[in-house]
Amino acid sequence: MVRTTPDRTRRSERSRVAILDATRELIGEMEYAKLTIEAIAARAGVGKQTIYRWWPSKGAVVFDALLAAAENPDGGGIELPDTGDIAADLTMVLRATAAEFADPAFAAPIRALTTEMLNDPDLAAVYRERMDEPMRAAKKRRLESARRAGQIRADADLDLIVDMLYGPLTQRWLQRSGDLDDEFADALVAAVLRAFGPA
């Protein structure tokens, strides 16, 4: 039985971090279609077999690189702001989301990752488990807090609220059909709170 030594563990972690850093750098420098495992390996200073030992595809490496960049540095889970004012909190979050989608440096790798997931069910399943489901759960926790505070109706369907907030934004982003700005984010929040606010 081969035992993992502390030195080997540290080297492996350094290689993993170097690969993720290199991937983030490269997706900011080139079109996603031109990104290769060989280019990532060269930038990270590792052999490409090191990458394939940990990730099954280019899309999987890109996803982990983006996920690592989004992780809470203090190790905590995903939480939405809770100031006690659901309108203000949703407005802040939706404006930030719209701004990210409008930023080409952010949008390009996410759009490419979305394309990869359409053709890779395994990657799509990993994305749902590690990114989409934790984010949805955080959104629903914030909405549940607002429901307890009487700021949205007691019978409100929280999954439907999440879909109504983020669905139009995602559709506009995917189809490039309109501006992704504060005005659009504010309109989404106002419409949803009109529909689900207390009677």
Side-chain angles (χ1 to χ4, degrees):
M1 175 177 165
V2 176
R3 296 185 183 276
T4 302
T5 66
D7 283 346
R8 180 177 295 174
T9 299
R10 283 194 291 270
R11 284 197 301 273
S12 293
E13 180 59 16
R14 282 197 299 271
S15 294
R16 189 187 74 85
V17 170
I19 291 164
L20 297 179
D21 287 347
T23 302
R24 283 193 297 273
E25 290 171 6
L26 288 168
I27 58 180
E29 296 172 7
M30 65 176 63
E31 295 178 13
Y32 181 81
K34 296 180 179 178
L35 178 66
T36 63
I37 293 293
E38 288 79 8
I40 295 170
R43 176 69 63 92
V46 302
K48 68 178 183 178
Q49 289 307 315
T50 299
I51 297 177
Y52 282 122
R53 186 164 64 241
W54 290 327
W55 293 279
S57 66
K58 178 177 77 171
V61 184
V62 170
F63 172 66
D64 267 5
L66 297 175
L67 188 65
E71 284 177 347
N72 191 334
D74 65 10
I78 300 168
E79 293 297 338
L80 269 63
D82 189 347
T83 66
D85 182 340
I86 188 62
D89 292 344
L90 289 179
T91 296
M92 178 168 56
V93 171
L94 263 289
R95 283 184 174 192
T97 303
E100 284 184 331
F101 281 150
D103 178 1
F106 173 88
I110 298 298
R111 193 176 293 279
L113 186 63
T114 301
T115 302
E116 287 280 322
M117 288 190 293
L118 291 174
N119 300 302
D120 187 341
D122 292 336
L123 180 60
V126 170
Y127 175 84
R128 283 193 302 273
E129 177 185 347
R130 296 178 59 194
M131 178 69 82
D132 187 58
E133 291 173 3
M135 281 299 303
R136 177 171 284 266
K139 294 165 186 173
K140 289 173 65 177
R141 283 194 298 273
R142 180 62 190 93
L143 292 170
E144 179 58 42
S145 174
R147 182 158 62 182
R148 290 194 303 269
Q151 295 177 344
I152 60 176
R153 292 203 316 263
D155 64 347
D157 182 329
L158 301 187
D159 280 304
L160 181 59
I161 293 177
V162 172
D163 289 341
M164 290 179 68
L165 283 168
Y166 290 89
L169 192 155
T170 303
Q171 180 176 346
R172 182 173 284 200
W173 173 70
L174 283 171
Q175 298 181 353
R176 297 183 171 94
S177 58
D179 292 332
L180 294 167
D181 52 20
D182 289 353
E183 183 178 0
F184 182 57
D186 293 355
L188 288 175
V189 173
V192 168
L193 291 182
R194 279 196 303 271
F196 293 97

